[in-house]
Amino acid sequence: MGRSRRTIPEELLLLALDPTTGTTAQPQSLDLGLAGAQLVELALAGRIAPDGDRIAVVVPRPTGDPTLDCALELLRRRGAPVRAVHWIGGPRLGLRQTYLSHLERCGMVHAVEGQMCGVLPTTRYQATDNAISREIKARLDSAIRTGVPPDPRTAALAALAHAVGLGKHLYPGNEGRSSRSRLRDLIRHDPMGGLVAHAVMDVQNGVAAQPRRSPAQAGRQAAGAGPATEPARGVPVQPHRSSMARAVAH
């Protein structure tokens, strides 16, 4: 893959990083989003592909990105397609920190050591070049403003940003309401991004144990019981413990 292009996990984390405080927005859901972003990036690299609501490894060859290759290897070891919600919901404590350290090694952020209450050590991260974050957000702004279908990477990034709750961080207040709505609508422009974004929201809402309905099933339900609605978000749950999740993704 090389380093000429930023990965979607990197871009999602840069979007979440507050340039003023050096902290990340939506930290509880961001680990889920990063796990989902890894799936999208691996799919764009041709290493995995969706199989219904499952993820199948189609080319196990490493990408050259150590963080992505660790995820690819964990998927390969499963030996069979895994449901996206089970992969994303598997405990990955430290994935956000793994990517912050990764961005620091790549020179995109630098760590700022400090103390909380004058005693507890803290580490905050500042972007080395805020123009990078502005360029990433400008792509979302353009897709929202013009209504032109975005490229798959931007569509997937938008879907994940919505799924982890970054809408209010990127487009705050009443004036940002329409932009947040259009950000949500971009989810339909990339099938893989949509799959993992819905899986992220399902995990947060505690519905990972139920298989996602196919479009045909959803249509039959809608015909008999009215339009389906998206489950309410914002209710974090303890992630499902899967056998593959005992490894740290880095």
Side-chain angles (χ1 to χ4, degrees):
M1 287 177 60
R3 296 301 306 155
S4 61
R5 171 180 284 170
R6 294 183 299 270
T7 66
I8 293 176
E10 292 168 357
E11 293 197 326
L12 183 67
L13 186 51
L14 287 170
L15 276 180
L17 192 62
D18 190 308
T20 303
T21 65
T23 59
T24 53
Q26 302 299 117
Q28 290 185 336
S29 57
L30 194 54
D31 273 6
L32 301 177
L34 290 171
Q38 288 182 320
L39 294 180
V40 176
E41 191 65 49
L42 287 170
L44 289 171
R47 301 313 196 264
I48 65 174
D51 180 6
D53 67 346
R54 297 176 182 270
I55 304 298
V57 175
V58 292
V59 178
R61 186 178 69 253
T63 66
D65 181 306
T67 314
L68 291 174
D69 287 343
C70 179
L72 179 62
E73 176 61 13
L74 291 174
L75 286 166
R76 187 194 66 80
R77 289 178 186 174
R78 290 299 295 264
V82 58
R83 289 185 62 204
V85 288
H86 289 166
W87 168 262
I88 291 169
R92 273 176 197 79
L93 298 178
L95 188 55
R96 179 165 42 99
Q97 183 57 51
T98 293
Y99 267 101
L100 284 169
S101 299
H102 172 72
L103 290 180
E104 186 179 19
R105 290 193 300 271
C106 293
M108 285 189 266
V109 302
H110 65 275
V112 179
E113 305 297 335
Q115 288 184 328
M116 180 183 296
C117 302
V119 179
L120 299 176
T122 62
T123 303
R124 299 178 183 273
Y125 292 85
Q126 300 289 340
T128 55
D129 185 358
N130 286 325
I132 296 176
S133 298
R134 289 195 296 268
E135 181 272 325
I136 297 169
K137 184 172 181 293
R139 285 169 29 219
L140 297 184
D141 292 344
S142 177
I144 286 172
R145 183 179 62 255
T146 65
V148 176
D151 64 273
R153 302 185 71 83
T154 301
L157 180 63
L160 287 161
H162 165 70
V164 303
L166 288 184
K168 291 185 178 180
H169 168 70
L170 299 171
Y171 306 103
N174 288 332
E175 64 276 15
R177 184 176 300 173
S178 61
S179 293
R180 293 195 297 272
S181 178
R182 288 193 288 270
L183 179 71
R184 179 195 62 216
D185 292 342
L186 292 176
I187 201 170
R188 70 182 187 274
H189 289 295
D190 179 62
M192 187 66 181
L195 171 65
V196 299
H198 280 108
V200 167
M201 292 186 284
D202 283 350
V203 172
Q204 291 183 87
N205 286 290
V207 295
Q210 298 298 323
R212 176 163 290 279
R213 295 188 305 274
S214 69
Q217 290 171 319
R220 287 194 294 271
Q221 181 177 17
T229 57
E230 188 69 48
R233 295 187 61 249
V235 183
V237 298
Q238 290 298 320
H240 177 75
R241 292 187 177 274
S242 63
S243 60
M244 69 176 173
R246 287 190 286 268
V248 179
H250 60 69

